Amino acid sequence: MTNLDSPFNCLCAGLRRAARIASRQYDQALAPIGINVQQFTALVTLNELGPTTVTQLAQSLELERTAATRNLAVMEKAGLIKRREGEDRRERVVEITAEGRKRLNTARPMWRNAQRDLIDKIGEPIAGSLLQKLDSIA
């Protein structure tokens, strides 16, 4: 039985380690089209939300606003998104571009393969249960 009171079994450290390993796998799958999993997730979110403020996007992605802004700058330089002033001049609105949609559509099967590989490693019932448990703490 695992001793959950031991610092060697820290849930946070374990989750972070697993996230790094999973991110690496998805990043490798998406590398041929020049995006990473974080950018893929932002494109999926923007595609669903439509034009949104940087603050709203950061909240949707559970990112600090400054981290989202840095990531968006890279995506804007690549032509995947565009930013503009919002109704309030202090806010910035971000939206996916035609190039961003094209890259997202190309990325979907690559992401799906990485997703399937990870599911195959841990099993579908565990993958579903894991997502439910993670949603409960998010």
Side-chain angles (χ1 to χ4, degrees), residues 75-137:
M75 294 173 71
E76 186 173 37
K77 188 174 181 182
L80 304 174
I81 59 111
K82 64 181 176 182
R83 292 184 285 182
R84 59 179 166 78
E85 279 185 4
E87 290 179 22
D88 178 342
R89 293 173 54 107
R90 294 171 295 172
E91 72 181 12
R92 302 290 289 166
V93 172
V94 61
E95 59 187 297
I96 191 169
T97 62
E99 175 59 27
R101 272 193 198 82
K102 180 181 171 189
R103 194 94 55 102
L104 175 59
N105 290 334
T106 302
R108 285 183 191 274
M110 298 169 162
W111 172 87
R112 203 170 289 112
N113 287 340
Q115 177 89 341
R116 182 51 45 198
D117 287 347
L118 191 54
I119 290 169
D120 289 347
K121 284 180 185 175
I122 64 175
E124 199 151 329
I126 291 173
S129 176
L130 179 60
L131 282 173
Q132 287 178 339
K133 296 292 184 194
L134 292 172
D135 281 346
S136 75
I137 63 172

